[in-house]
């Protein structure tokens, strides 16, 4: 009963280690690269400014195109060819966010406008209950139980997420928490679990080869 009540008010993305990890990355790199006079909206209490991390869609249009390497966890996937890898490639850029298997959505509206800081934190979420090939049932349950989660939940960019892909995260926290704890993540649900791209392929070359890029 308490879980049902709390699930309606707790943001599964903000009440985890992801939020702290993201803030530290933004402060250490993106904020540090800005001129102090440009950080006019900085909070006197926390030292953070909302403008420190730009939206992905607002990145420079100059080449090269910056592609952020993440994964979509498939611990409960039914595709036999992917049951060992337990993940599929998921990318974010200023143009689109998504996967070749489920589809892509415009970066400007996907996840209510994913920022560079959020994308970078997801891409570096090495410690997460669901970690693709590295996932273990016992470790998955324990990490979820102690809320040691660096990953992120966003709407499925595919057909299963037709009503959720533009939202910043699940409205009800209990369902994704249970899915994460029991290894029930898949690409057929309304929301998908994203984490470190290194859980699929650590160099970020897979998508470049698939797209036949001449220069990487």
């Amino acid at each position: 009963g308490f879980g049902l009540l709390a699930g309606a008010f707790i943001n599964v993305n903000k009440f985890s280690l992801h939020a702290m990890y993201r803030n530290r990355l933004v402060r250490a790199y993106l904020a540090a690269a800005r001129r102090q006079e440009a950080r006019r909206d900085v909070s006197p209490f926390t030292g953070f400014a909302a403008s420190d991390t730009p939206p992905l869609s607002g990145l420079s249009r100059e080449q090269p195109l910056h592609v952020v390497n993440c994964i979509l966890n498939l611990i409960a996937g039914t595709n036999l060819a992917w049951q060992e890898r337990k993940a599929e490639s998921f990318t974010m850029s200023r143009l689109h966010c998504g996967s070749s298997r489920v589809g892509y959505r415009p970066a400007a509206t996907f996840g209510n406008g994913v920022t560079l800081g959020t994308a970078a934190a997801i891409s570096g979420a090495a410690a997460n209950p669901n970690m693709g090939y590295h996932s273990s049932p016992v470790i998955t349950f324990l990490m979820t139980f102690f809320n040691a989660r660096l990953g992120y939940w966003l709407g499925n960019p595919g057909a299963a997420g037709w009503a959720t892909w533009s939202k910043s995260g699940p409205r009800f926290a209990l369902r994704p928490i249970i899915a994460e704890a029991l290894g029930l993540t898949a690409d057929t649900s309304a929301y998908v679990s994203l984490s470190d791209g290194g859980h699929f392929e650590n160099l970020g070359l897979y998508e470049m080869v698939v797209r036949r890029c001449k220069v990487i």
Side-chain angles (χ1 to χ4, degrees), residues 22-40:
R22 173 187 176 277
N23 286 341
R24 298 317 304 172
L25 285 178
V26 170
R27 180 68 181 275
Y29 297 98
L30 299 179
R34 299 184 67 203
R35 295 180 180 274
Q36 285 301 114
E37 55 268 25
R39 303 180 76 240
R40 295 176 181 175

Side-chain angles (χ1 to χ4, degrees), residues 5-170:
L5 180 65
F9 297 96
I10 292 177
N11 186 313
V12 71
N13 288 328
K14 291 184 178 179
F15 286 85
S16 70
L17 290 179
H18 173 89
M20 179 194 73
Y21 181 51
R22 173 187 176 277
N23 286 341
R24 298 317 304 172
L25 285 178
V26 170
R27 180 68 181 275
Y29 297 98
L30 299 179
R34 299 184 67 203
R35 295 180 180 274
Q36 285 301 114
E37 55 268 25
R39 303 180 76 240
R40 295 176 181 175
D41 58 337
V42 64
S43 168
F45 180 72
T46 64
F48 292 105
S51 59
D52 283 342
T53 173
L56 277 176
S57 59
L59 295 180
S60 173
R61 295 181 178 273
E62 295 182 5
Q63 295 179 335
L65 176 68
H66 183 193
V67 180
V68 183
N69 182 40
C70 309
I71 72 157
L72 190 162
N73 284 291
L74 296 176
I75 310 305
T78 57
N79 188 331
L80 293 177
W82 293 73
Q83 282 188 349
E84 184 176 1
R85 180 163 272 178
K86 300 178 183 178
E88 64 186 72
S89 180
F90 192 99
T91 59
M92 299 183 184
S93 72
R94 66 172 177 81
L95 298 175
H96 301 96
C97 300
S99 158
S100 59
R101 281 171 54 84
V102 297
Y104 295 89
R105 297 288 183 175
T109 48
F110 177 71
N112 196 28
V114 175
T115 65
L116 178 59
T118 298
I122 295 172
S123 178
N128 195 54
N130 290 186
M131 299 183 286
Y133 175 80
H134 304 284
S135 299
S136 160
V138 175
I139 298 299
T140 292
F141 182 83
L142 288 176
M143 290 186 73
T144 307
F145 183 83
F146 290 106
N147 205 28
R149 302 180 299 110
L150 290 181
Y152 210 74
W153 285 86
L154 284 173
N156 191 329
W162 65 272
T164 60
W165 67 268
S166 61
K167 302 183 184 301
S168 58

